[in-house]
Amino acid sequence: MSEEEKKNKDSTRRVEIIFSQAVEEDIFEGFKEHKIGSHYSKVSAVSGSGFSSPKLGDAIWPQLNEMIIVYCKKSEAEKIVDFIKSLRKKYPVEGIACFVSKAKIK
C-alpha cells in the first residue's frame, strides 16, 4: 500500500449526529447550504436519553430522535462539526449530539 493510500485511509472519519426530529429539516438544509454530508445513512425513530429531555416514543416522552451517519474525509468532518455547533446555538434546548471517530475502510 502506498503512503498516499495509507494517508487517505487514516483521514476517513465516521460522524454520528443524533438529533431531535424537530430539527431534521434544518440539518438537511444546512448540509446542502454548506455542501457537506452528501453521502449519509439516516436511522429513523431513534429513542434514548442524553443531555436534553428523553426521546422515548412513549406516552410520557412521545418525541423521538433521528440519527445520521456520515463517512467522510477529516476536513469534511470538521465542517460538519462546525455546522452542528451553530445549530446547537440556534436550538439550545433541542438535543443535538455529534460524535466523530476514525474509520477504517476495509
Side-chain angles (χ1 to χ4, degrees):
M1 181 181 306
S2 72
E3 284 301 313
E4 185 173 332
E5 288 172 323
K6 287 180 187 177
K7 183 180 176 184
N8 286 339
K9 278 189 166 190
D10 290 340
S11 68
T12 302
R13 297 294 187 262
R14 175 185 168 115
V15 182
E16 294 180 27
I17 307 164
I18 303 168
F19 55 93
S20 168
Q21 288 175 326
V23 298
E24 180 179 358
E25 187 174 331
D26 292 83
I27 297 259
F28 286 110
E29 284 178 6
F31 276 13
K32 282 184 183 178
E33 180 182 329
H34 297 285
K35 296 181 171 79
I36 54 176
S38 59
H39 305 308
Y40 65 88
S41 293
K42 178 184 164 193
V43 182
S44 297
V46 175
S47 62
S49 179
F51 295 104
S52 66
S53 60
K55 309 290 193 295
L56 303 176
D58 62 15
I60 298 170
W61 302 102
Q63 196 173 24
L64 288 166
N65 284 326
E66 304 286 331
M67 183 168 75
I68 296 172
I69 302 168
V70 179
Y71 286 93
C72 59
K73 298 289 182 201
K74 182 180 177 184
S75 58
E76 183 177 356
E78 290 168 351
K79 291 176 185 177
I80 292 171
V81 168
D82 289 341
F83 167 63
I84 294 302
K85 285 179 181 178
S86 72
L87 263 187
R88 282 191 196 127
K89 288 179 184 175
K90 185 175 180 180
Y91 300 108
V93 297
E94 294 295 341
I96 306 171
C98 184
F99 304 93
V100 179
S101 57
K102 289 184 179 180
K104 291 184 181 181
I105 300 170
K106 296 204 175 204

